[in-house]
Amino acid sequence: MHGAINMLGLAKRVKAKIFQASTSEVYGDPAIHPQPEHYWGHVNPIGIRSCYDEGKRCAETLFFDYRRQHGMRIKVARIFNTYGPRMHPNDGRVVSNFIVQALQNKPITLYGDGTQTRSFCYVDDLIEGFIWLMNSPDDLAGPVNLGNPGEFTMIELAAAIRDLTGSSAPLVHEPLPQDDPKQRQPDIGLARSALSWEPKVTLREGLQPTIAYFDALLRRGQSPRR
Ligand code: UDP
């Protein structure tokens, strides 16, 4: 949290416009679907994900306090699951895990029954959303959901990755982490109307360059731990 305060203090001093990379995690395990910006969320304050979720929620609070108190120009984006080339092979996220496992013909680790959903946005689309947001009028502080509304179960994601890699890696079930959100899909009505932005890259289109990236990485011998 000190980071956010330092950066807000710096932006105030130099009169800069400041961007907060917030997250769909502010919605927690959401009770309404899809999630619009006015939904306050459903977050466990003391669970294993809470440090991240509550940290991001608190950062949003500080941004809006600085805006109210000092008239600062803030831009808050709530970023939904994003993927693409240059992800770290060991960061533990589902897209990188599944692709690396498929390319190595190692078991694909489905947590829980794999029916939980996520909506995956290709990185180029997200960056374009950032640019539109930063160039929007100062009265648009956000928060603005940025993500791809295309929603998939983890079983569907695994199937798409097996198909695109031509892998015969088996699926294995592992325990579902505590407080893992059951479903997640952005309502991007605000981004559509206020920024004229919407993602263009479908999951299958975006997975292809992502798979090619990991394939080249693994061929160079940067073997991941999992
Ligand atoms: N997940 C999975 N296998 C993995 C990694 C993740 O089934 O090897 C699941 C995880 O339980 C969650 C979803 O994939 O339901 C997305 O996980 P990730 O960590 O990528 O993103 P987040 O949960 O933060 O949205």
Side-chain angles (χ1 to χ4, degrees), residues 212-223:
Y213 168 78
F214 280 113
D215 194 32
L217 192 75
L218 295 175
R219 283 174 201 277
R220 285 207 305 272
Q222 299 196 7
S223 166

Side-chain angles (χ1 to χ4, degrees), residues 118-188:
R118 294 291 186 276
S119 303
F120 298 101
C121 187
Y122 189 63
V123 60
D124 291 9
D125 279 333
L126 180 75
I127 300 299
E128 200 178 296
F130 288 171
I131 293 169
W132 284 111
L133 177 61
M134 290 313 283
N135 288 334
S136 65
D138 287 345
D139 61 0
L140 183 71
V144 181
N145 286 341
L146 294 178
N148 190 321
E151 184 183 1
F152 298 88
T153 65
M154 296 311 103
I155 295 171
E156 289 169 336
L157 176 68
I161 290 173
R162 282 175 96 232
D163 183 33
L164 291 169
T165 54
S167 173
S168 51
L171 302 182
V172 292
H173 288 274
E174 291 192 1
L176 188 68
Q178 190 200 340
D179 297 336
D180 198 274
K182 179 73 191 143
Q183 56 182 1
R184 181 180 291 151
Q185 185 194 41
D187 177 333
I188 59 164

